[in-house]
Amino acid sequence: AAKGGGGEAPAPSGPVTYAKEEPKETFGDLTTVQSNQDTGRQFVHVSQIDAAGFEGKDVWVRCRVHNTRSKGNNCFLVLRQSGSTLQGAMFKSESVSKEMIKFSGALSRETIVDVKGTVVRADVKSCTQSDVELSVLRIYAISRAEPNLPLQIEDAGRSEAEIVESEKKKAAGEVEGAYIRVGNEIRLDNRIIDLRVPAQNAILRIKSAVCHYYRSALLEKGFCEIQTPKMIAGASEGGADVFKFKYMEGSRFERPACLAQSPQLYKQMAIMGDLERVFEVGPVFRAENSHTGRHLTEFTGLDFEMEIKESYSEALDMTDYFMCKIFDGLRTNHQKDLQVISQQYPFEPLKFNATGRNYRMQYPEAIRLMREAGLKNEDGSEISDTQDLSTPLEKWLGEYVHNKHQTDFWVLERYPYEARPFYTMPCADDDRYTNSYDVFMRGQEIMSGAQRVHTADLLVKQCKDKGVDPKDLVPYIDAFKYGASPHAGGGIGLERVVSLYLGLDNVRKTSMFPRDPTRLTP
């Protein structure tokens, strides 16, 4: 017999108290949870409930009301926990009163509820838990959502293909209205609601997994995780893309400072401190006035630096290792999240060489290929030997490599001296070029790296060449005066890696609360 009622339960006259024993009321608004309950209930995650493991069992779930449908003496609810959904059903009986059905049907969407019910085998194609439903015995509102939501989860969770198809049907007169297209700004203004959309929720779980596999791979290789300062006295990369502020403003200690563009200088200094191999997962700040789908003013950097014995290729081999660990880990262990994302944002699986060295191209070859294809710069000028590459040229190279070498993950090395920062080691055979590299995914750069200069005199010279005042970098330059190991490394933008792996059109989808030139809230 179903537990929870021996006769029709009374309608609650106020908030229901659930301290130890099950209350006589089988529905209602529960008193505020203030760490004053000790009911001994064991909650089950909605994603775990299926016929094989739970048929016939009574379970408690805490979840959101995704939708309700009530009529007469019955009510159906779609209960949602993260991206998983489960149908709840109730029919008027001795243990389910008319008032309980009315209470449940009137619950606003997104309200958080505690539900107790018996798991019954059923065919429910509209829910992720498709072989069961919950025969509801008790239901208590924990936190009610306001009825007028700023956006609907269903609207924000549809694919572009579904929306376009509905627009075609409306134009043909087959339906009265098309699906709503929820814009990026509406999503970001109401980010808390948007994060509940299954695909968006899964994107952040994939982002977490990328950090996990990156960290695990480098720890396996003897790296030490470090945490470097984010408030510094001088720009870490040089240039204008720096957030400046007054340090200790209004005090006698006031002086100019800026937010770190990268942990570059400090991770090199860590190598000089004999840590040998280091990495960091931390915030990076770039005052880039670029309001595009590729740029953020604050993002998460995955940085590493390591001693090398003979060549920067040792750092590239390490990059191959940890990036393939990331790709393989996602492909092997996160199929459910990837499937949820692909339903709203379809994408092709990333092509890469999981077992050996991924494709590497040298910069002069790239220039030759683009010239042979008749490409020019965006202003119509010829492509020079030592210029940096624009985004359209990078994308063309990505398509070329994808078609010719069947890979979306590859390296371009030996960048021109003109295009790299002051701390980059020149090539021994041609000082117009450097021992540097960019790593690409799907035709876009995700990482810049290089062998670094490890002699103080050359570092000072190149600072002056690049318009950086060595006086602003005295502690950094001094670090190379007392015996400096040859070293190399790189820095990866986490959000861009996730965005490109998933084939997303906008990097903001991968940032929980993105920062760009126009957005500082929420």
Side-chain angles (χ1 to χ4, degrees):
K3 300 174 184 176
E8 192 167 295
S13 58
V16 177
T17 300
Y18 193 160
K20 280 187 176 292
E21 301 299 324
E22 287 188 342
K24 63 181 185 296
E25 302 94 343
T26 56
F27 67 97
D29 289 82
L30 206 65
T31 52
T32 302
V33 176
Q34 292 183 284
S35 300
N36 57 344
Q37 294 171 292
D38 184 19
T39 66
R41 291 177 294 171
Q42 297 295 315
F43 287 86
V44 179
H45 199 282
V46 166
S47 64
Q48 303 300 313
I49 300 174
D50 58 18
F54 288 91
E55 184 179 6
K57 296 180 179 179
D58 288 354
V59 298
W60 278 102
V61 293
R62 176 166 291 176
C63 48
R64 292 187 183 275
V65 175
H66 186 68
N67 207 346
T68 63
R69 179 167 47 91
S70 65
K71 185 177 181 181
N73 292 328
N74 59 66
C75 179
F76 292 92
L77 307 95
V78 176
L79 306 171
R80 192 186 78 246
Q81 189 172 10
S82 294
S84 300
T85 51
L86 172 69
Q87 179 169 280
M90 58 183 74
F91 305 91
K92 188 175 182 300
S93 64
E94 285 189 8
S95 58
V96 177
S97 66
K98 182 78 172 179
E99 288 80 4
M100 182 175 175
I101 289 172
K102 184 178 179 181
F103 170 85
S104 301
L107 289 168
S108 56
R109 294 184 181 190
E110 299 304 296
T111 289
I112 296 174
V113 290
D114 281 358
V115 181
K116 180 183 180 180
T118 305
V119 178
V120 179
R121 187 179 290 270
D123 183 16
V124 188
K125 291 185 172 60
S126 59
C127 291
T128 63
Q129 311 313 106
S130 58
D131 64 349
V132 291
E133 70 178 12
L134 199 61
S135 179
V136 177
L137 304 172
R138 292 175 174 270
I139 181 166
Y140 304 110
I142 302 299
S143 176
R144 286 183 176 268
E146 292 186 4
N148 297 318
L149 296 171
L151 58 88
Q152 296 295 332
I153 302 296
E154 290 95 336
D155 293 335
R158 292 191 181 99
S159 68
E160 181 64 18
E162 290 178 285
I163 296 170
V164 170
E165 182 64 24
S166 75
E167 291 171 340
K168 289 179 180 178
K169 288 182 177 180
K170 180 185 177 184
E174 297 176 24
V175 295
E176 289 187 10
Y179 290 142
I180 294 171
R181 181 181 283 103
V182 182
N184 279 336
E185 294 307 308
I186 295 294
R187 290 176 182 272
L188 296 179
D189 287 343
N190 303 281
R191 189 59 161 159
I192 295 300
I193 306 296
D194 187 47
L195 291 176
R196 300 176 190 174
V197 175
Q200 186 58 63
N201 203 275
I203 287 169
L204 292 187
R205 295 181 190 279
I206 291 296
K207 184 179 180 182
S208 171
V210 170
C211 286
H212 166 72
Y213 292 121
Y214 173 74
R215 180 177 277 113
S216 297
L218 290 181
L219 289 173
E220 285 174 12
K221 292 293 185 179
F223 279 72
C224 174
E225 184 168 6
I226 60 173
Q227 296 78 34
T228 61
K230 303 307 169 196
M231 297 186 292
I232 60 177
S236 45
E237 301 276 354
D241 299 336
V242 183
F243 285 107
K244 298 179 180 179
F245 66 97
K246 292 179 180 179
Y247 187 70
M248 301 298 291
E249 184 175 6
S251 76
R252 62 192 178 92
F253 305 109
E254 181 179 316
R255 53 182 150 160
C258 65
L259 296 177
Q261 294 166 293
S262 83
Q264 181 58 49
L265 308 188
Y266 292 100
K267 62 181 182 173
Q268 286 185 257
M269 294 165 76
I271 300 300
M272 299 311 104
D274 286 353
L275 287 176
E276 296 183 332
R277 293 181 165 194
V278 298
F279 74 95
E280 180 171 15
V281 179
V284 174
F285 303 93
R286 301 278 173 90
E288 292 183 284
N289 191 18
S290 301
H291 194 50
T292 73
R294 298 175 63 234
H295 293 92
L296 295 169
T297 53
E298 179 183 350
F299 61 90
T300 303
L302 307 181
D303 278 85
F304 79 101
E305 204 76 18
M306 57 184 280
E307 289 184 2
I308 59 173
K309 304 305 181 188
E310 295 180 335
S311 171
Y312 69 85
S313 63
E314 297 163 36
L316 280 180
D317 292 341
M318 187 63 68
T319 302
D320 257 345
Y321 174 76
F322 68 70
M323 289 303 296
C324 288
K325 281 283 190 179
I326 292 170
F327 300 152
D328 194 52
L330 295 179
R331 181 175 62 182
T332 304
N333 302 319
H334 298 271
Q335 278 302 313
K336 182 179 178 181
D337 284 330
L338 295 175
Q339 184 179 10
V340 168
I341 295 164
S342 67
Q343 288 170 354
Q344 183 170 1
Y345 304 113
F347 65 94
E348 292 294 323
L350 187 82
K351 292 184 177 181
F352 66 101
N353 180 8
T355 58
R357 174 182 287 199
N358 281 274
Y359 180 67
R360 299 177 188 178
M361 178 189 292
Q362 296 205 348
Y363 203 87
E365 181 186 358
I367 298 296
R368 177 183 62 78
L369 289 170
M370 290 185 288
R371 285 173 176 164
E372 288 177 357
L375 298 180
K376 294 187 177 182
N377 291 312
E378 292 177 273
D379 63 1
S381 62
E382 298 293 331
I383 300 172
S384 71
D385 288 345
T386 57
Q387 71 168 65
D388 203 357
L389 299 183
S390 64
T391 298
L393 293 178
E394 288 180 346
K395 287 185 175 179
W396 182 89
L397 269 179
E399 290 178 9
Y400 172 87
V401 172
H402 174 88
N403 294 331
K404 183 164 179 68
H405 300 282
Q406 301 301 303
T407 185
D408 297 312
F409 175 68
W410 61 285
V411 175
L412 185 60
E413 53 185 326
R414 287 176 64 101
Y415 269 73
Y417 178 77
E418 291 178 13
R420 303 309 268 197
F422 65 87
Y423 46 77
T424 309
M425 181 67 80
C427 290
D429 59 339
D430 188 342
D431 62 9
R432 295 180 303 161
Y433 296 95
T434 58
N435 295 333
S436 63
Y437 39 85
D438 275 4
V439 180
F440 291 84
M441 284 175 63
R442 301 193 198 271
Q444 294 190 44
E445 174 253 318
I446 60 160
M447 168 179 147
S448 283
Q451 180 187 357
R452 322 300 188 179
V453 173
H454 59 275
T455 59
D457 291 345
L458 181 56
L459 200 53
V460 170
K461 175 185 177 300
Q462 292 192 178
C463 280
K464 293 176 179 177
D465 286 347
K466 299 286 185 176
V468 177
D469 189 347
K471 293 179 182 177
D472 293 336
L473 298 169
V474 171
Y476 168 69
I477 294 171
D478 284 350
F480 299 93
K481 292 180 177 180
Y482 312 110
S485 300
H487 59 288
I492 301 170
L494 170 61
E495 287 81 1
R496 192 174 288 186
V497 167
V498 175
S499 178
L500 291 170
Y501 185 88
L502 300 174
L504 300 173
D505 64 344
N506 196 312
V507 73
R508 288 167 184 78
K509 290 184 171 76
T510 70
S511 177
M512 189 160 67
F513 298 106
R515 294 292 178 259
D516 60 39
T518 67
R519 182 170 290 279
L520 267 174
T521 59

